[in-house]
PDB file of all heavy atoms in Angstrom:
ATOM      1  N   PHE A1606       7.188 -58.119   0.512  1.00  0.00           N
ATOM      2  CA  PHE A1606       7.734 -57.953  -0.830  1.00  0.00           C
ATOM      3  C   PHE A1606       6.727 -57.332  -1.781  1.00  0.00           C
ATOM      4  O   PHE A1606       7.050 -56.394  -2.513  1.00  0.00           O
ATOM      5  CB  PHE A1606       8.205 -59.312  -1.360  1.00  0.00           C
ATOM      6  CG  PHE A1606       9.693 -59.417  -1.468  1.00  0.00           C
ATOM      7  CD1 PHE A1606      10.480 -59.237  -0.356  1.00  0.00           C
ATOM      8  CD2 PHE A1606      10.312 -59.698  -2.676  1.00  0.00           C
ATOM      9  CE1 PHE A1606      11.864 -59.325  -0.430  1.00  0.00           C
ATOM     10  CE2 PHE A1606      11.684 -59.787  -2.772  1.00  0.00           C
ATOM     11  CZ  PHE A1606      12.466 -59.603  -1.650  1.00  0.00           C
ATOM     12  N   ARG A1644       9.567 -53.358  10.908  1.00  0.00           N
ATOM     13  CA  ARG A1644      10.480 -53.418   9.766  1.00  0.00           C
ATOM     14  C   ARG A1644       9.715 -53.833   8.523  1.00  0.00           C
ATOM     15  O   ARG A1644       8.571 -54.286   8.597  1.00  0.00           O
ATOM     16  CB  ARG A1644      11.613 -54.412  10.015  1.00  0.00           C
ATOM     17  CG  ARG A1644      11.150 -55.850  10.216  1.00  0.00           C
ATOM     18  CD  ARG A1644      12.299 -56.824  10.028  1.00  0.00           C
ATOM     19  NE  ARG A1644      12.817 -56.774   8.653  1.00  0.00           N
ATOM     20  CZ  ARG A1644      13.865 -57.498   8.232  1.00  0.00           C
ATOM     21  NH1 ARG A1644      14.502 -58.277   9.076  1.00  0.00           N
ATOM     22  NH2 ARG A1644      14.264 -57.426   6.975  1.00  0.00           N
ATOM     23  N   MET A1646       9.987 -55.981   4.589  1.00  0.00           N
ATOM     24  CA  MET A1646      10.656 -57.037   3.832  1.00  0.00           C
ATOM     25  C   MET A1646      11.404 -58.026   4.728  1.00  0.00           C
ATOM     26  O   MET A1646      12.640 -58.067   4.735  1.00  0.00           O
ATOM     27  CB  MET A1646      11.617 -56.420   2.807  1.00  0.00           C
ATOM     28  CG  MET A1646      10.959 -55.461   1.856  1.00  0.00           C
ATOM     29  SD  MET A1646      12.123 -54.667   0.717  1.00  0.00           S
ATOM     30  CE  MET A1646      12.386 -55.994  -0.458  1.00  0.00           C
ATOM     31  N   PRO A1647      10.685 -58.835   5.498  1.00  0.00           N
ATOM     32  CA  PRO A1647      11.353 -59.810   6.373  1.00  0.00           C
ATOM     33  C   PRO A1647      12.165 -60.855   5.616  1.00  0.00           C
ATOM     34  O   PRO A1647      12.965 -61.574   6.222  1.00  0.00           O
ATOM     35  CB  PRO A1647      10.182 -60.458   7.127  1.00  0.00           C
ATOM     36  CG  PRO A1647       8.976 -60.202   6.285  1.00  0.00           C
ATOM     37  CD  PRO A1647       9.216 -58.889   5.628  1.00  0.00           C
ATOM     38  N   GLU A1648      11.990 -60.939   4.285  1.00  0.00           N
ATOM     39  CA  GLU A1648      12.734 -61.916   3.490  1.00  0.00           C
ATOM     40  C   GLU A1648      14.206 -61.519   3.313  1.00  0.00           C
ATOM     41  O   GLU A1648      15.024 -62.343   2.890  1.00  0.00           O
ATOM     42  CB  GLU A1648      12.094 -62.083   2.107  1.00  0.00           C
ATOM     43  CG  GLU A1648      10.653 -62.572   2.139  1.00  0.00           C
ATOM     44  CD  GLU A1648       9.645 -61.434   2.231  1.00  0.00           C
ATOM     45  OE1 GLU A1648      10.039 -60.289   2.548  1.00  0.00           O
ATOM     46  OE2 GLU A1648       8.450 -61.705   1.986  1.00  0.00           O
ATOM     47  N   VAL A1649      14.548 -60.250   3.586  1.00  0.00           N
ATOM     48  CA  VAL A1649      15.935 -59.793   3.445  1.00  0.00           C
ATOM     49  C   VAL A1649      16.478 -59.413   4.818  1.00  0.00           C
ATOM     50  O   VAL A1649      15.741 -59.357   5.809  1.00  0.00           O
ATOM     51  CB  VAL A1649      16.025 -58.587   2.476  1.00  0.00           C
ATOM     52  CG1 VAL A1649      15.451 -58.947   1.122  1.00  0.00           C
ATOM     53  CG2 VAL A1649      15.304 -57.356   3.043  1.00  0.00           C
ATOM     54  N   SER A1650      17.776 -59.148   4.882  1.00  0.00           N
ATOM     55  CA  SER A1650      18.401 -58.791   6.150  1.00  0.00           C
ATOM     56  C   SER A1650      17.919 -57.422   6.612  1.00  0.00           C
ATOM     57  O   SER A1650      17.410 -56.612   5.824  1.00  0.00           O
ATOM     58  CB  SER A1650      19.921 -58.779   6.011  1.00  0.00           C
ATOM     59  OG  SER A1650      20.331 -57.702   5.174  1.00  0.00           O
ATOM     60  N   LEU A1651      18.106 -57.164   7.897  1.00  0.00           N
ATOM     61  CA  LEU A1651      17.701 -55.875   8.454  1.00  0.00           C
ATOM     62  C   LEU A1651      18.483 -54.734   7.801  1.00  0.00           C
ATOM     63  O   LEU A1651      17.927 -53.668   7.512  1.00  0.00           O
ATOM     64  CB  LEU A1651      17.926 -55.869   9.968  1.00  0.00           C
ATOM     65  CG  LEU A1651      17.348 -54.684  10.745  1.00  0.00           C
ATOM     66  CD1 LEU A1651      15.841 -54.614  10.560  1.00  0.00           C
ATOM     67  CD2 LEU A1651      17.711 -54.782  12.225  1.00  0.00           C
ATOM     68  N   LYS A1652      19.760 -54.980   7.537  1.00  0.00           N
ATOM     69  CA  LYS A1652      20.588 -53.954   6.893  1.00  0.00           C
ATOM     70  C   LYS A1652      20.060 -53.616   5.502  1.00  0.00           C
ATOM     71  O   LYS A1652      19.976 -52.443   5.116  1.00  0.00           O
ATOM     72  CB  LYS A1652      22.038 -54.438   6.809  1.00  0.00           C
ATOM     73  CG  LYS A1652      22.989 -53.430   6.174  1.00  0.00           C
ATOM     74  CD  LYS A1652      24.417 -53.967   6.131  1.00  0.00           C
ATOM     75  CE  LYS A1652      25.354 -52.962   5.463  1.00  0.00           C
ATOM     76  NZ  LYS A1652      26.755 -53.490   5.404  1.00  0.00           N
ATOM     77  N   THR A1653      19.686 -54.644   4.742  1.00  0.00           N
ATOM     78  CA  THR A1653      19.151 -54.412   3.395  1.00  0.00           C
ATOM     79  C   THR A1653      17.817 -53.680   3.459  1.00  0.00           C
ATOM     80  O   THR A1653      17.552 -52.775   2.653  1.00  0.00           O
ATOM     81  CB  THR A1653      18.975 -55.748   2.652  1.00  0.00           C
ATOM     82  OG1 THR A1653      20.229 -56.432   2.596  1.00  0.00           O
ATOM     83  CG2 THR A1653      18.474 -55.526   1.239  1.00  0.00           C
ATOM     84  N   SER A1654      16.967 -54.051   4.432  1.00  0.00           N
ATOM     85  CA  SER A1654      15.675 -53.365   4.568  1.00  0.00           C
ATOM     86  C   SER A1654      15.874 -51.900   4.922  1.00  0.00           C
ATOM     87  O   SER A1654      15.106 -51.035   4.477  1.00  0.00           O
ATOM     88  CB  SER A1654      14.802 -54.053   5.623  1.00  0.00           C
ATOM     89  OG  SER A1654      15.286 -53.817   6.933  1.00  0.00           O
ATOM     90  N   GLY A1753      14.050 -73.802   6.119  1.00  0.00           N
ATOM     91  CA  GLY A1753      13.977 -72.349   6.005  1.00  0.00           C
ATOM     92  C   GLY A1753      12.578 -71.785   6.015  1.00  0.00           C
ATOM     93  O   GLY A1753      12.403 -70.573   5.910  1.00  0.00           O
ATOM     94  N   GLN A1764       8.262 -69.274  -6.222  1.00  0.00           N
ATOM     95  CA  GLN A1764       9.352 -70.250  -6.266  1.00  0.00           C
ATOM     96  C   GLN A1764       8.853 -71.649  -5.897  1.00  0.00           C
ATOM     97  O   GLN A1764       9.137 -72.633  -6.585  1.00  0.00           O
ATOM     98  CB  GLN A1764      10.463 -69.852  -5.282  1.00  0.00           C
ATOM     99  CG  GLN A1764      11.358 -68.724  -5.746  1.00  0.00           C
ATOM    100  CD  GLN A1764      12.568 -68.567  -4.847  1.00  0.00           C
ATOM    101  OE1 GLN A1764      13.250 -69.544  -4.545  1.00  0.00           O
ATOM    102  NE2 GLN A1764      12.828 -67.364  -4.408  1.00  0.00           N
ATOM    103  N   LYS A1792      15.695 -75.436  -1.358  1.00  0.00           N
ATOM    104  CA  LYS A1792      16.314 -74.451  -0.484  1.00  0.00           C
ATOM    105  C   LYS A1792      16.319 -73.107  -1.197  1.00  0.00           C
ATOM    106  O   LYS A1792      16.841 -72.986  -2.309  1.00  0.00           O
ATOM    107  CB  LYS A1792      17.742 -74.853  -0.127  1.00  0.00           C
ATOM    108  CG  LYS A1792      18.410 -73.911   0.879  1.00  0.00           C
ATOM    109  CD  LYS A1792      19.751 -74.438   1.334  1.00  0.00           C
ATOM    110  CE  LYS A1792      20.422 -73.488   2.297  1.00  0.00           C
ATOM    111  NZ  LYS A1792      19.616 -73.212   3.507  1.00  0.00           N
ATOM    112  N   ASN A1793      15.715 -72.125  -0.561  1.00  0.00           N
ATOM    113  CA  ASN A1793      15.627 -70.791  -1.147  1.00  0.00           C
ATOM    114  C   ASN A1793      17.023 -70.229  -1.384  1.00  0.00           C
ATOM    115  O   ASN A1793      17.815 -70.086  -0.442  1.00  0.00           O
ATOM    116  CB  ASN A1793      14.833 -69.874  -0.198  1.00  0.00           C
ATOM    117  CG  ASN A1793      14.475 -68.551  -0.853  1.00  0.00           C
ATOM    118  OD1 ASN A1793      14.862 -68.300  -1.994  1.00  0.00           O
ATOM    119  ND2 ASN A1793      13.746 -67.719  -0.143  1.00  0.00           N
ATOM    120  N   LEU A1794      17.322 -69.903  -2.622  1.00  0.00           N
ATOM    121  CA  LEU A1794      18.642 -69.384  -2.969  1.00  0.00           C
ATOM    122  C   LEU A1794      18.768 -67.890  -2.724  1.00  0.00           C
ATOM    123  O   LEU A1794      19.880 -67.347  -2.753  1.00  0.00           O
ATOM    124  CB  LEU A1794      18.949 -69.698  -4.440  1.00  0.00           C
ATOM    125  CG  LEU A1794      18.981 -71.184  -4.808  1.00  0.00           C
ATOM    126  CD1 LEU A1794      19.257 -71.348  -6.290  1.00  0.00           C
ATOM    127  CD2 LEU A1794      20.017 -71.915  -3.985  1.00  0.00           C
ATOM    128  N   GLY A1795      17.652 -67.229  -2.498  1.00  0.00           N
ATOM    129  CA  GLY A1795      17.707 -65.794  -2.261  1.00  0.00           C
ATOM    130  C   GLY A1795      16.406 -65.115  -2.606  1.00  0.00           C
ATOM    131  O   GLY A1795      15.437 -65.749  -3.019  1.00  0.00           O
ATOM    132  N   ALA A1796      16.388 -63.822  -2.425  1.00  0.00           N
ATOM    133  CA  ALA A1796      15.204 -63.016  -2.735  1.00  0.00           C
ATOM    134  C   ALA A1796      15.640 -61.824  -3.566  1.00  0.00           C
ATOM    135  O   ALA A1796      16.687 -61.211  -3.311  1.00  0.00           O
ATOM    136  CB  ALA A1796      14.535 -62.545  -1.440  1.00  0.00           C
ATOM    137  N   VAL A1797      14.836 -61.500  -4.574  1.00  0.00           N
ATOM    138  CA  VAL A1797      15.153 -60.380  -5.446  1.00  0.00           C
ATOM    139  C   VAL A1797      13.893 -59.566  -5.671  1.00  0.00           C
ATOM    140  O   VAL A1797      12.797 -60.121  -5.819  1.00  0.00           O
ATOM    141  CB  VAL A1797      15.759 -60.871  -6.787  1.00  0.00           C
ATOM    142  CG1 VAL A1797      14.770 -61.731  -7.544  1.00  0.00           C
ATOM    143  CG2 VAL A1797      16.247 -59.712  -7.626  1.00  0.00           C
ATOM    144  N   VAL A1806      16.830 -54.800  -5.134  1.00  0.00           N
ATOM    145  CA  VAL A1806      17.602 -55.402  -4.046  1.00  0.00           C
ATOM    146  C   VAL A1806      17.666 -56.908  -4.278  1.00  0.00           C
ATOM    147  O   VAL A1806      16.723 -57.512  -4.791  1.00  0.00           O
ATOM    148  CB  VAL A1806      16.983 -55.121  -2.652  1.00  0.00           C
ATOM    149  CG1 VAL A1806      17.080 -53.665  -2.296  1.00  0.00           C
ATOM    150  CG2 VAL A1806      15.543 -55.604  -2.577  1.00  0.00           C
ATOM    151  N   PHE A1807      18.803 -57.488  -3.902  1.00  0.00           N
ATOM    152  CA  PHE A1807      18.997 -58.928  -3.996  1.00  0.00           C
ATOM    153  C   PHE A1807      19.645 -59.401  -2.705  1.00  0.00           C
ATOM    154  O   PHE A1807      20.604 -58.792  -2.232  1.00  0.00           O
ATOM    155  CB  PHE A1807      19.877 -59.287  -5.192  1.00  0.00           C
ATOM    156  CG  PHE A1807      20.316 -60.734  -5.207  1.00  0.00           C
ATOM    157  CD1 PHE A1807      19.443 -61.726  -5.629  1.00  0.00           C
ATOM    158  CD2 PHE A1807      21.588 -61.095  -4.784  1.00  0.00           C
ATOM    159  CE1 PHE A1807      19.836 -63.059  -5.642  1.00  0.00           C
ATOM    160  CE2 PHE A1807      21.985 -62.426  -4.785  1.00  0.00           C
ATOM    161  CZ  PHE A1807      21.105 -63.414  -5.217  1.00  0.00           C
ATOM    162  N   GLN A1808      19.123 -60.471  -2.129  1.00  0.00           N
ATOM    163  CA  GLN A1808      19.665 -61.022  -0.882  1.00  0.00           C
ATOM    164  C   GLN A1808      19.786 -62.523  -1.010  1.00  0.00           C
ATOM    165  O   GLN A1808      18.821 -63.225  -1.327  1.00  0.00           O
ATOM    166  CB  GLN A1808      18.742 -60.680   0.290  1.00  0.00           C
ATOM    167  CG  GLN A1808      19.245 -61.134   1.639  1.00  0.00           C
ATOM    168  CD  GLN A1808      20.179 -60.140   2.294  1.00  0.00           C
ATOM    169  OE1 GLN A1808      19.904 -58.943   2.295  1.00  0.00           O
ATOM    170  NE2 GLN A1808      21.285 -60.627   2.843  1.00  0.00           N
ATOM    171  N   SER A1809      20.988 -63.043  -0.765  1.00  0.00           N
ATOM    172  CA  SER A1809      21.220 -64.481  -0.732  1.00  0.00           C
ATOM    173  C   SER A1809      22.172 -64.755   0.424  1.00  0.00           C
ATOM    174  O   SER A1809      23.366 -64.450   0.336  1.00  0.00           O
ATOM    175  CB  SER A1809      21.833 -64.971  -2.044  1.00  0.00           C
ATOM    176  OG  SER A1809      22.063 -66.367  -1.992  1.00  0.00           O
ATOM    177  N   GLY A1810      21.610 -65.295   1.504  1.00  0.00           N
ATOM    178  CA  GLY A1810      22.421 -65.474   2.704  1.00  0.00           C
ATOM    179  C   GLY A1810      22.883 -64.126   3.218  1.00  0.00           C
ATOM    180  O   GLY A1810      22.086 -63.205   3.418  1.00  0.00           O
ATOM    181  N   LYS A1811      24.182 -63.978   3.409  1.00  0.00           N
ATOM    182  CA  LYS A1811      24.725 -62.699   3.877  1.00  0.00           C
ATOM    183  C   LYS A1811      25.071 -61.758   2.731  1.00  0.00           C
ATOM    184  O   LYS A1811      25.411 -60.592   2.960  1.00  0.00           O
ATOM    185  CB  LYS A1811      25.975 -62.953   4.732  1.00  0.00           C
ATOM    186  CG  LYS A1811      25.683 -63.694   6.038  1.00  0.00           C
ATOM    187  CD  LYS A1811      26.950 -63.852   6.860  1.00  0.00           C
ATOM    188  CE  LYS A1811      26.649 -64.569   8.180  1.00  0.00           C
ATOM    189  NZ  LYS A1811      27.880 -64.733   9.002  1.00  0.00           N
ATOM    190  N   LEU A1812      24.991 -62.282   1.507  1.00  0.00           N
ATOM    191  CA  LEU A1812      25.290 -61.453   0.342  1.00  0.00           C
ATOM    192  C   LEU A1812      24.100 -60.572  -0.006  1.00  0.00           C
ATOM    193  O   LEU A1812      22.996 -61.064  -0.214  1.00  0.00           O
ATOM    194  CB  LEU A1812      25.642 -62.334  -0.853  1.00  0.00           C
ATOM    195  CG  LEU A1812      25.843 -61.609  -2.192  1.00  0.00           C
ATOM    196  CD1 LEU A1812      27.048 -60.674  -2.114  1.00  0.00           C
ATOM    197  CD2 LEU A1812      25.992 -62.611  -3.325  1.00  0.00           C
ATOM    198  N   ALA A1813      24.343 -59.280  -0.076  1.00  0.00           N
ATOM    199  CA  ALA A1813      23.285 -58.333  -0.439  1.00  0.00           C
ATOM    200  C   ALA A1813      23.783 -57.418  -1.548  1.00  0.00           C
ATOM    201  O   ALA A1813      24.907 -56.904  -1.486  1.00  0.00           O
ATOM    202  CB  ALA A1813      22.869 -57.509   0.771  1.00  0.00           C
ATOM    203  N   ILE A1814      22.960 -57.255  -2.575  1.00  0.00           N
ATOM    204  CA  ILE A1814      23.274 -56.353  -3.684  1.00  0.00           C
ATOM    205  C   ILE A1814      22.117 -55.375  -3.814  1.00  0.00           C
ATOM    206  O   ILE A1814      20.946 -55.771  -3.746  1.00  0.00           O
ATOM    207  CB  ILE A1814      23.462 -57.128  -5.000  1.00  0.00           C
ATOM    208  CG1 ILE A1814      24.570 -58.176  -4.855  1.00  0.00           C
ATOM    209  CG2 ILE A1814      23.788 -56.177  -6.146  1.00  0.00           C
ATOM    210  CD1 ILE A1814      24.717 -59.078  -6.067  1.00  0.00           C
ATOM    211  N   THR A1815      22.422 -54.118  -3.988  1.00  0.00           N
ATOM    212  CA  THR A1815      21.380 -53.095  -4.103  1.00  0.00           C
ATOM    213  C   THR A1815      21.621 -52.240  -5.349  1.00  0.00           C
ATOM    214  O   THR A1815      22.702 -52.247  -5.930  1.00  0.00           O
ATOM    215  CB  THR A1815      21.362 -52.191  -2.858  1.00  0.00           C
ATOM    216  OG1 THR A1815      22.651 -51.571  -2.696  1.00  0.00           O
ATOM    217  CG2 THR A1815      21.030 -52.985  -1.607  1.00  0.00           C
TER     218      THR A1815
END
Side-chain angles (χ1 to χ4, degrees):
F1606 250 58
R1644 62 162 297 177
M1646 303 177 78
E1648 300 89 345
V1649 303
S1650 68
L1651 190 60
K1652 181 180 179 181
T1653 303
S1654 72
Q1764 283 190 49
K1792 185 173 178 58
N1793 191 357
L1794 299 178
V1797 62
V1806 292
F1807 170 78
Q1808 183 86 45
S1809 179
K1811 294 183 179 180
L1812 174 64
I1814 302 174
T1815 58

